[in-house]
Amino acid sequence: MDATPIVVASNRGPVVLARTNGSIEQRRGVGGLVTAVGGALLGRDATWIAAAITDVDREEAAAGRGAFDVDLHLGAGARGIVHVHLADLDPAAYDLYYNEFSNRTLWFLHHDLWDSPRTPAFGAGGAEAWDAYRAVNERFAATIAEAAPRGSPVLPQDYHLSLVPALLRERRPDLQQAFFWHIPFSSPDNYRVLPDAWGAALLEGMLGADIVGFHTQRWARNFTDCCRELLGARVRGKTISHEHGTTRVGVYPIGVNIDNLSEEAARAEVARARASIDDVVGDRTLILRVDRTELSKNILRGFIAYEMLLEQRPDLHERIIHLAFLTPSRHGVPEYEEYVQACKIRAAAINERFGTPSWQPLVVEIEDDFPRTLAAYQRYDVLVVNPVYDGMNLVAREGPCLNERDGVLVLSRNAGAAAELAPAALIVNPFDPAGTAAAIERSLAMDRGERQAMAARLRPLARGTSPARWLGTQLKDLSRLRDG
Ligand code: F6P
């Protein structure tokens, strides 16, 4: 156990609270950040500050019961207890900060999701969202300032909390901070879509940290270029000099907590899910995708690629099946609802066009079923991960770690994971469904030896750096900076 207490802060905490039959239960939070950071905290004395998200979170936080312990259950019998502290935020301000500013503005900016002839068009609503974003970041900074033991490392996470490092530095200059950015970072030209004042304030906010970390060199370079071009900051190697001192830019790609993942995959629910997947798939070749219902995951172009494959290769009909496991995400953002509808319509059209009484070519399941996801990882023959842009993408790592059939990974060149996995995957341009269809076709044509060799190369790359080491390296770099 590392005795130094650390403080993590992120919008979403490791669990959300729900009420079942009158009693409160903790439910695992969804998404890459929770998996990554949760997996990193084994054996540490950690406080995790997060927003109260669900109604029950809010009620409990308002009633003074927003601080409690969570067992992260980190595998191989290990226990990872973190002290969670939920910040009680005004629901209207939270909506503007989370849905409007974080998810409709920053997320769209950094994943290049705007439809530039029409969006964005920042008006009064935009300014209101920006004010709410600042207010919630202030609130997070105040909560951390109160909770953090003297001199303890603080790790604010992700685009929701860009302003926290500078705000916290003003309040608690004794705290060292490593801020981690989990998503892509846009190039300076794209970044300039933001009103200048916001763009500069966000960069200055992040530069309040001693270290700013990214999953890949590509996102780190874009951030550094933005600081240089927009703020006129001086950059020397990995160090950015600015008004308040210096900030080090680091690249820390996260991998998989293999013990935890293997233990989860060995559970009885996974075996049951596997049997039910086997019933659906039979002896067909399984092409799988696993994503949140998320625009940046590029589900629609993935379906179009599959349709092209079916069109070009009638000999594959009945012999292959595509499962799309989609976890519901971000209902509060209208673009997401429209996108999910478009995906469903496309899937129905594909089934209508190619399906037969004995074969449904594309099966879409929209639910949060982790055991079923793990079972599908074991069974796939081809895993399609084709995001338009993605900070890392843990599906591309977890799938190959659990797969039992020497499955082939078809991977977008714009996923952070491609920086490490490219030598053992079929790399595609996510904007090119024809190229994606060709890559899937190629994977289906590979002989057993070729698949085995590729999967053997892929497994260790996919595992990568464990979350514990990922976090440990950042903490080590922080203490090196402190000790000069
Ligand atoms: O880093 C991206 C992220 O914020 C991660 O937490 C996770 O992958 C996903 O987005 C979850 O999004 P949300 O918390 O909005 O459901």
Side-chain angles (χ1 to χ4, degrees), residues 11-12 30-34 98 103 107 158-160 182-183 292 329-330:
N11 172 64
R12 190 178 285 283
V30 180
L33 184 150
V34 167
Y98 175 68
N103 290 340
W107 184 274
D158 231 358
Y159 61 102
H160 314 87
H182 289 261
I183 65 173
R292 287 185 298 110
S329 187
R330 300 185 185 165

mmCIF file of all heavy atoms in Angstrom, residues 11-12 30-34 98 103 107 158-160 182-183 292 329-330, ligand 1:
data_model
loop_
_atom_site.group_PDB
_atom_site.id
_atom_site.type_symbol
_atom_site.label_atom_id
_atom_site.label_comp_id
_atom_site.label_asym_id
_atom_site.label_seq_id
_atom_site.Cartn_x
_atom_site.Cartn_y
_atom_site.Cartn_z
ATOM 1 N N ASN A 11 -15.792 14.371 -13.372
ATOM 2 C CA ASN A 11 -17.240 14.577 -13.401
ATOM 3 C C ASN A 11 -17.962 13.328 -12.907
ATOM 4 O O ASN A 11 -18.786 13.374 -12.018
ATOM 5 C CB ASN A 11 -17.673 14.909 -14.824
ATOM 6 C CG ASN A 11 -19.179 14.950 -14.940
ATOM 7 O OD1 ASN A 11 -19.823 15.785 -14.323
ATOM 8 N ND2 ASN A 11 -19.755 14.011 -15.667
ATOM 9 N N ARG A 12 -17.648 12.191 -13.521
ATOM 10 C CA ARG A 12 -18.327 10.940 -13.160
ATOM 11 C C ARG A 12 -17.468 10.182 -12.170
ATOM 12 O O ARG A 12 -16.276 9.984 -12.415
ATOM 13 C CB ARG A 12 -18.541 10.098 -14.422
ATOM 14 C CG ARG A 12 -19.423 8.906 -14.242
ATOM 15 C CD ARG A 12 -19.616 8.166 -15.543
ATOM 16 N NE ARG A 12 -20.528 8.843 -16.454
ATOM 17 C CZ ARG A 12 -21.857 8.844 -16.328
ATOM 18 N NH1 ARG A 12 -22.429 8.203 -15.331
ATOM 19 N NH2 ARG A 12 -22.616 9.490 -17.201
ATOM 20 N N VAL A 30 -20.255 4.268 -15.977
ATOM 21 C CA VAL A 30 -19.976 3.803 -17.338
ATOM 22 C C VAL A 30 -18.794 4.577 -17.925
ATOM 23 O O VAL A 30 -18.604 5.743 -17.611
ATOM 24 C CB VAL A 30 -21.206 4.099 -18.234
ATOM 25 C CG1 VAL A 30 -20.975 3.630 -19.661
ATOM 26 C CG2 VAL A 30 -22.444 3.454 -17.663
ATOM 27 N N GLY A 31 -18.003 3.935 -18.771
ATOM 28 C CA GLY A 31 -17.044 4.685 -19.595
ATOM 29 C C GLY A 31 -15.595 4.433 -19.268
ATOM 30 O O GLY A 31 -15.246 3.838 -18.232
ATOM 31 N N GLY A 32 -14.765 4.910 -20.195
ATOM 32 C CA GLY A 32 -13.333 4.650 -20.147
ATOM 33 C C GLY A 32 -12.643 5.252 -18.931
ATOM 34 O O GLY A 32 -11.769 4.631 -18.322
ATOM 35 N N LEU A 33 -13.061 6.453 -18.547
ATOM 36 C CA LEU A 33 -12.369 7.130 -17.447
ATOM 37 C C LEU A 33 -12.535 6.346 -16.139
ATOM 38 O O LEU A 33 -11.569 6.122 -15.405
ATOM 39 C CB LEU A 33 -12.919 8.548 -17.305
ATOM 40 C CG LEU A 33 -12.255 9.450 -16.272
ATOM 41 C CD1 LEU A 33 -12.355 10.893 -16.719
ATOM 42 C CD2 LEU A 33 -12.814 9.304 -14.880
ATOM 43 N N VAL A 34 -13.762 5.914 -15.888
ATOM 44 C CA VAL A 34 -14.027 5.177 -14.646
ATOM 45 C C VAL A 34 -13.233 3.868 -14.637
ATOM 46 O O VAL A 34 -12.619 3.497 -13.628
ATOM 47 C CB VAL A 34 -15.556 4.921 -14.496
ATOM 48 C CG1 VAL A 34 -15.836 3.913 -13.410
ATOM 49 C CG2 VAL A 34 -16.270 6.226 -14.213
ATOM 50 N N TYR A 98 -22.633 20.190 -18.077
ATOM 51 C CA TYR A 98 -22.364 18.834 -18.587
ATOM 52 C C TYR A 98 -22.863 18.670 -20.028
ATOM 53 O O TYR A 98 -22.076 18.364 -20.936
ATOM 54 C CB TYR A 98 -23.031 17.811 -17.664
ATOM 55 C CG TYR A 98 -22.931 16.381 -18.151
ATOM 56 C CD1 TYR A 98 -21.704 15.712 -18.180
ATOM 57 C CD2 TYR A 98 -24.056 15.681 -18.590
ATOM 58 C CE1 TYR A 98 -21.610 14.402 -18.638
ATOM 59 C CE2 TYR A 98 -23.971 14.373 -19.038
ATOM 60 C CZ TYR A 98 -22.744 13.737 -19.067
ATOM 61 O OH TYR A 98 -22.649 12.442 -19.528
ATOM 62 N N ASN A 103 -20.349 18.491 -23.246
ATOM 63 C CA ASN A 103 -20.641 17.475 -24.262
ATOM 64 C C ASN A 103 -21.040 18.028 -25.629
ATOM 65 O O ASN A 103 -20.735 17.419 -26.649
ATOM 66 C CB ASN A 103 -21.712 16.506 -23.746
ATOM 67 C CG ASN A 103 -21.148 15.629 -22.637
ATOM 68 O OD1 ASN A 103 -19.923 15.481 -22.522
ATOM 69 N ND2 ASN A 103 -22.013 15.071 -21.807
ATOM 70 N N TRP A 107 -16.719 18.445 -26.361
ATOM 71 C CA TRP A 107 -16.644 17.103 -26.968
ATOM 72 C C TRP A 107 -16.715 17.204 -28.496
ATOM 73 O O TRP A 107 -15.947 16.574 -29.230
ATOM 74 C CB TRP A 107 -17.768 16.218 -26.421
ATOM 75 C CG TRP A 107 -17.722 14.800 -26.898
ATOM 76 C CD1 TRP A 107 -18.258 14.313 -28.056
ATOM 77 C CD2 TRP A 107 -17.086 13.696 -26.241
ATOM 78 N NE1 TRP A 107 -18.001 12.968 -28.165
ATOM 79 C CE2 TRP A 107 -17.296 12.561 -27.060
ATOM 80 C CE3 TRP A 107 -16.384 13.553 -25.052
ATOM 81 C CZ2 TRP A 107 -16.814 11.293 -26.718
ATOM 82 C CZ3 TRP A 107 -15.914 12.288 -24.708
ATOM 83 C CH2 TRP A 107 -16.121 11.177 -25.542
ATOM 84 N N ASP A 158 -9.919 15.168 -17.130
ATOM 85 C CA ASP A 158 -10.750 15.328 -18.324
ATOM 86 C C ASP A 158 -11.339 16.710 -18.590
ATOM 87 O O ASP A 158 -11.247 17.621 -17.786
ATOM 88 C CB ASP A 158 -11.846 14.263 -18.307
ATOM 89 C CG ASP A 158 -11.882 13.505 -19.629
ATOM 90 O OD1 ASP A 158 -11.097 13.841 -20.530
ATOM 91 O OD2 ASP A 158 -12.697 12.582 -19.762
ATOM 92 N N TYR A 159 -11.975 16.764 -19.770
ATOM 93 C CA TYR A 159 -12.407 18.039 -20.347
ATOM 94 C C TYR A 159 -13.492 18.747 -19.547
ATOM 95 O O TYR A 159 -13.721 19.925 -19.754
ATOM 96 C CB TYR A 159 -12.872 17.798 -21.796
ATOM 97 C CG TYR A 159 -14.045 16.846 -21.909
ATOM 98 C CD1 TYR A 159 -15.341 17.317 -22.121
ATOM 99 C CD2 TYR A 159 -13.872 15.476 -21.768
ATOM 100 C CE1 TYR A 159 -16.415 16.446 -22.198
ATOM 101 C CE2 TYR A 159 -14.941 14.604 -21.838
ATOM 102 C CZ TYR A 159 -16.194 15.083 -22.051
ATOM 103 O OH TYR A 159 -17.256 14.224 -22.114
ATOM 104 N N HIS A 160 -14.173 18.018 -18.664
ATOM 105 C CA HIS A 160 -15.188 18.695 -17.838
ATOM 106 C C HIS A 160 -14.535 19.670 -16.864
ATOM 107 O O HIS A 160 -15.157 20.614 -16.416
ATOM 108 C CB HIS A 160 -15.988 17.686 -17.015
ATOM 109 C CG HIS A 160 -16.460 16.492 -17.769
ATOM 110 N ND1 HIS A 160 -15.700 15.352 -17.936
ATOM 111 C CD2 HIS A 160 -17.622 16.267 -18.412
ATOM 112 C CE1 HIS A 160 -16.378 14.470 -18.648
ATOM 113 N NE2 HIS A 160 -17.542 14.994 -18.951
ATOM 114 N N HIS A 182 -8.492 12.823 -21.261
ATOM 115 C CA HIS A 182 -8.727 11.463 -21.766
ATOM 116 C C HIS A 182 -9.169 11.397 -23.220
ATOM 117 O O HIS A 182 -9.263 10.309 -23.785
ATOM 118 C CB HIS A 182 -9.802 10.765 -20.915
ATOM 119 C CG HIS A 182 -9.336 10.412 -19.542
ATOM 120 N ND1 HIS A 182 -8.900 9.151 -19.196
ATOM 121 C CD2 HIS A 182 -9.193 11.157 -18.429
ATOM 122 C CE1 HIS A 182 -8.541 9.137 -17.927
ATOM 123 N NE2 HIS A 182 -8.713 10.344 -17.426
ATOM 124 N N ILE A 183 -9.470 12.556 -23.806
ATOM 125 C CA ILE A 183 -10.057 12.531 -25.158
ATOM 126 C C ILE A 183 -9.034 13.103 -26.153
ATOM 127 O O ILE A 183 -7.953 13.521 -25.744
ATOM 128 C CB ILE A 183 -11.404 13.299 -25.180
ATOM 129 C CG1 ILE A 183 -11.217 14.793 -24.898
ATOM 130 C CG2 ILE A 183 -12.372 12.689 -24.163
ATOM 131 C CD1 ILE A 183 -12.495 15.626 -25.067
ATOM 132 N N ARG A 292 -20.321 2.918 -26.676
ATOM 133 C CA ARG A 292 -21.431 3.717 -26.176
ATOM 134 C C ARG A 292 -22.193 4.238 -27.390
ATOM 135 O O ARG A 292 -21.639 4.289 -28.492
ATOM 136 C CB ARG A 292 -20.914 4.906 -25.345
ATOM 137 C CG ARG A 292 -20.369 4.513 -23.997
ATOM 138 C CD ARG A 292 -19.975 5.712 -23.152
ATOM 139 N NE ARG A 292 -18.928 6.504 -23.753
ATOM 140 C CZ ARG A 292 -19.086 7.722 -24.267
ATOM 141 N NH1 ARG A 292 -20.272 8.309 -24.248
ATOM 142 N NH2 ARG A 292 -18.077 8.372 -24.779
ATOM 143 N N SER A 329 -26.003 6.238 -23.836
ATOM 144 C CA SER A 329 -25.154 7.318 -23.333
ATOM 145 C C SER A 329 -25.754 8.682 -23.667
ATOM 146 O O SER A 329 -26.311 8.873 -24.750
ATOM 147 C CB SER A 329 -23.787 7.172 -24.011
ATOM 148 O OG SER A 329 -22.851 8.065 -23.489
ATOM 149 N N ARG A 330 -25.674 9.608 -22.749
ATOM 150 C CA ARG A 330 -25.948 11.036 -22.969
ATOM 151 C C ARG A 330 -27.312 11.340 -23.593
ATOM 152 O O ARG A 330 -27.400 12.013 -24.627
ATOM 153 C CB ARG A 330 -24.822 11.649 -23.813
ATOM 154 C CG ARG A 330 -23.494 11.501 -23.115
ATOM 155 C CD ARG A 330 -22.360 12.182 -23.814
ATOM 156 N NE ARG A 330 -21.114 11.873 -23.121
ATOM 157 C CZ ARG A 330 -19.915 12.069 -23.613
ATOM 158 N NH1 ARG A 330 -19.771 12.592 -24.811
ATOM 159 N NH2 ARG A 330 -18.841 11.753 -22.914
HETATM 160 O O1 F6P B 1 -12.976 10.547 -21.385
HETATM 161 C C1 F6P B 1 -14.170 10.365 -22.003
HETATM 162 C C2 F6P B 1 -15.312 10.185 -21.033
HETATM 163 O O2 F6P B 1 -15.549 11.304 -20.255
HETATM 164 C C3 F6P B 1 -15.060 8.980 -20.172
HETATM 165 O O3 F6P B 1 -15.496 9.143 -18.889
HETATM 166 C C4 F6P B 1 -15.900 7.939 -20.786
HETATM 167 O O4 F6P B 1 -15.211 7.253 -21.762
HETATM 168 C C5 F6P B 1 -17.020 8.670 -21.417
HETATM 169 O O5 F6P B 1 -16.492 9.914 -21.752
HETATM 170 C C6 F6P B 1 -18.232 8.699 -20.561
HETATM 171 O O6 F6P B 1 -19.017 9.766 -20.813
HETATM 172 P P1 F6P B 1 -20.120 10.225 -19.802
HETATM 173 O O7 F6P B 1 -19.472 10.355 -18.470
HETATM 174 O O8 F6P B 1 -20.586 11.520 -20.374
HETATM 175 O O9 F6P B 1 -21.174 9.178 -19.828
#
